[in-house]
């Protein structure tokens, strides 16, 4: 049996990779929008690297028309922000 090797990224590493603030990433966690994460204990949160890559690939589009066609929404869209 091969040992499982999972790369877990810290919040700061994910923020740097996505070029968003920690506040934005926290809001995404709260709203269920952002990449999947693990809560190890208390407030100790990690993001599996493979899940982050899959999440970004799934959100990549070639045009706004393609994005609209997929029915994508963004946090804040209900308040007239992004749609």
């Amino acid at each position: 049996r091969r040992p499982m090797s999972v790369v877990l990224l810290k919040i700061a590493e994910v923020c740097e990779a996505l070029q968003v603030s920690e506040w934005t990433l926290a809001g995404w966690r709260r709203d269920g929008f952002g990449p999947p994460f693990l809560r190890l204990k208390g407030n100790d949160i990690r993001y599996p690297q493979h899940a982050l890559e899959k999440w970004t690939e799934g959100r990549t589009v070639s045009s706004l028309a393609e994005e609209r066609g997929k029915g994508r929404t963004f946090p804040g869209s209900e308040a007239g922000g992004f749609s």
Side-chain angles (χ1 to χ4, degrees):
R1 233 168 114 148
R2 241 177 42 182
M4 185 172 76
S5 107
V6 176
V7 176
L8 298 176
L9 303 173
K10 295 180 179 181
I11 290 173
E13 294 172 309
V14 174
C15 289
E16 183 177 335
L18 297 177
Q19 298 181 355
V20 299
S21 71
E22 289 191 18
W23 285 104
T24 296
L25 193 59
W28 288 356
R29 282 194 306 273
R30 181 194 65 232
D31 296 338
F33 172 76
F37 64 93
L38 300 170
R39 184 179 300 275
L40 301 178
K41 62 180 177 180
N43 289 329
D44 195 7
I45 293 172
R46 295 289 187 273
Y47 290 81
Q49 183 175 15
H50 68 87
L52 176 63
E53 291 168 356
K54 184 176 178 181
W55 183 81
T56 55
E57 288 169 7
R59 297 206 54 81
T60 302
V61 294
S62 301
S63 68
L64 290 174
E66 179 184 350
E67 183 177 37
R68 287 187 197 108
K70 290 183 177 181
R72 295 276 166 80
T73 57
F74 200 85
S77 61
E78 64 279 353
F82 299 93
S83 57

